[in-house]
Amino acid sequence: MTTTTTAVAGTLQRLYFVRFAFAIAWALALFTTAKDLGVLAGTLLVIYPLFDVGAAVVDARSSHRTGSVVGLYVNMAVSSITAIAVAVAATSGIPDVLRVWGTWAIVAGAVQLAVSLSRRAMGGQWPLILSGAISVLAGASFIAGAGADDPTLTGAAGYAIPGGVFFLVSALRLRSASKGK
């Protein structure tokens, strides 16, 4: 493994630990407001894709010398648009938020899947490959759930927990790659 790849693996490991902690804290906060779409829930729903943008920026800056970062730029654009779309959808209610959230989960999951597949040689990517695939399925369930009689945001909160756990597992698996092993 090259020195550059080792450095990228170390950066990704730290980033994935941060993403795990954020996802768990965010999910716990959203669970407290998941029945109603108030100011706190709306704010949390906008913050999550914005955090994803920030994480993709850090990832792209560290990864640009080891391969294509096009998928990360796509993720930045999609997540930025999603933050705006969620803010607008929040004025219409939970069903519209779930439709936007579901669409984002599908697209972001597909991008995560593609980026993770391209990084297989680095190691530690299988949890994120699985996470990307699950995100696509979860997105479809959010869109379907928007038509329920009494939709809630509980699924969105629950969505963040396995995603965070997958980042944690990937960070742990990257440990050997970041040490150059």
Side-chain angles (χ1 to χ4, degrees), residues 11-12 15 19 50-64 69 72-73 75-77 80 119:
T11 300
L12 291 179
L15 177 63
R19 291 194 74 162
L50 290 177
F51 183 84
D52 199 48
V53 171
V57 168
V58 170
D59 191 339
R61 285 184 178 166
S62 70
S63 301
H64 74 278
V69 293
L72 296 169
Y73 288 126
N75 188 52
M76 289 178 219
S80 296
R119 291 179 170 168

Side-chain angles (χ1 to χ4, degrees), residues 61-94:
R61 285 184 178 166
S62 70
S63 301
H64 74 278
R65 289 176 286 154
T66 61
S68 175
V69 293
V70 172
L72 296 169
Y73 288 126
V74 169
N75 188 52
M76 289 178 219
V78 168
S79 294
S80 296
I81 292 166
T82 298
I84 295 165
V86 166
V88 171
T91 65
S92 299
I94 291 175

